[in-house]
Amino acid sequence: MFQSISQLNIAMKEILEVFARGDDISSLYPKYDGLEQDFVEAINTCLEKGYLTGVSCTVGAQGDVAVNIPEPHVTAYGAAFISES
């Protein structure tokens, strides 16, 4: 779990920037090794706030992260969050 909202916001921005650039999200996996729940929380918060669409993310029983990315899209709200953060 994130220690603060600030840490969550930093992770959200980083994830949104990766998708906005069209980069592979797996480039962030090493950073979140052992912190899979944080990674999922950040992606799911982006989805809940309407910053990101076309993505789903879950943690399996063994702690494996599954990111399904059929059509990732950073919304206008997500772009505004990136520029404001």
Side-chain angles (χ1 to χ4, degrees), residues 8 35 76-77 79 83:
L8 174 60
L35 301 171
Y77 289 113
S83 67

Side-chain angles (χ1 to χ4, degrees), residues 3-45:
Q3 301 275 329
S4 68
I5 296 296
S6 176
Q7 288 178 331
L8 174 60
N9 285 339
I10 289 168
M12 289 169 53
K13 180 180 178 182
E14 186 174 49
I15 289 165
L16 290 169
E17 287 174 335
V18 166
F19 282 120
R21 289 190 305 263
D23 292 347
D24 189 347
I25 194 68
S26 66
S27 65
L28 292 178
Y29 291 173
K31 182 175 183 173
Y32 290 94
D33 187 35
L35 301 171
E36 289 82 4
Q37 290 181 346
D38 286 355
F39 186 69
V40 171
E41 180 182 2
I43 288 179
N44 285 337
T45 302

Side-chain angles (χ1 to χ4, degrees), residues 37 58-66:
Q37 290 181 346
T58 58
V59 177
Q62 301 297 321
D64 299 328
V65 174

Side-chain angles (χ1 to χ4, degrees), residues 39-80:
F39 186 69
V40 171
E41 180 182 2
I43 288 179
N44 285 337
T45 302
C46 287
L47 292 166
E48 290 167 12
K49 290 184 175 278
Y51 297 165
L52 182 64
T53 62
V55 175
S56 65
C57 187
T58 58
V59 177
Q62 301 297 321
D64 299 328
V65 174
V67 181
N68 187 14
I69 310 168
E71 294 184 36
H73 173 73
V74 176
T75 66
Y77 289 113

